[in-house]
Amino acid sequence: MPQIGAKLKEMRRRRGLGVRELAARSGISHSSISMIERDRMSPSIDTLSAILDALGTTLTGFFSDLQSALPYAPFYAASEFVEIGKVDAISYRMIGVNHPNRQLLVLHETYAPGADTGEAFSHAAQEAGMVTRGAVELTVGSEARVLKEGDGYYFDSRIPHRFRNVADGRSEILSAITPPTY
């Protein structure tokens, strides 16, 4: 999705920020920001979120603005899913990035062996999903359970939660978050 870099650069310039100043505010190296702006590097969701926070916006707002420049279609080939994670650790492939007025974030998540979302986190949303391959340990608050292929979950995302792949191979989840705040 080449518009991410151009849009970030436009937002930075509108705010009168240099690359180094944005780097200092976001905690992301100036070289990474420069590469992202030139579409030489695809940012992880954490990196993009840090940059957007420093620019005073959110992932939701950023992608809402970005989607208005894209044509809308109700169908998406697998090759059209947008990667917003890290392919070698936890891949989050987003379905329907250009859907107008999107109220739902739908993700195809792939967890490498041993991958872990890290310390429990929370955000204002509801989250549901189904394990389609492997086994994932999900912790929500003080409760934890290993979910295997075909098992699912639904919880209030304001409760701190964490995902961890406990299978020998890759694990996959099809998930939905509303509103799309993650």
Side-chain angles (χ1 to χ4, degrees):
M1 180 183 235
Q3 289 122 342
I4 286 178
K7 179 71 175 171
L8 284 174
K9 188 173 187 175
E10 173 193 328
M11 291 174 71
R12 177 180 58 77
R13 286 187 172 168
R14 273 198 322 243
R15 286 157 177 77
L17 296 173
V19 172
R20 290 186 186 274
E21 187 174 355
L22 180 57
R25 288 183 181 188
S26 66
I28 306 301
S29 73
H30 70 278
S31 59
S32 291
I33 292 172
S34 177
M35 288 177 67
I36 291 166
E37 286 185 353
R38 291 181 291 132
D39 294 316
R40 301 248 186 244
M41 182 173 115
S42 181
S44 71
I45 192 165
D46 292 335
T47 298
L48 183 57
S49 184
I51 293 169
L52 293 174
D53 282 348
L55 291 170
T57 191
T58 64
L59 285 168
T60 304
F62 179 77
F63 282 112
S64 292
D65 286 349
L66 197 57
Q67 69 84 28
S68 65
L70 299 173
Y72 165 70
F75 307 106
Y76 300 89
S79 63
E80 296 172 321
F81 296 2
V82 175
E83 178 64 59
I84 60 174
K86 295 180 181 177
V87 175
D88 58 342
I90 302 175
S91 166
Y92 297 107
R93 294 180 60 227
M94 188 168 126
I95 302 166
V97 69
N98 64 342
H99 190 281
N101 303 313
R102 188 168 32 84
Q103 301 296 311
L104 182 66
L105 176 61
V106 179
L107 298 172
H108 177 235
E109 305 177 27
T110 304
Y111 292 73
D116 187 327
T117 57
E119 191 139 343
F121 61 97
S122 61
H123 49 104
Q126 291 186 2
E127 201 162 325
M130 177 187 293
V131 176
T132 59
R133 177 180 181 177
V136 176
E137 179 185 65
L138 171 58
T139 302
V140 180
S142 61
E143 296 182 62
R145 180 169 297 172
V146 173
L147 302 173
K148 297 179 180 170
E149 188 173 323
D151 294 339
Y153 59 89
Y154 190 121
F155 60 89
D156 184 329
S157 302
R158 292 175 296 183
I159 301 169
H161 52 284
R162 171 185 180 193
F163 295 83
R164 184 170 67 94
N165 182 5
V166 295
D168 291 334
R170 289 184 343 186
S171 289
E172 295 182 17
I173 296 174
L174 183 60
S175 68
I177 302 168
T178 186
T181 58
Y182 177 67

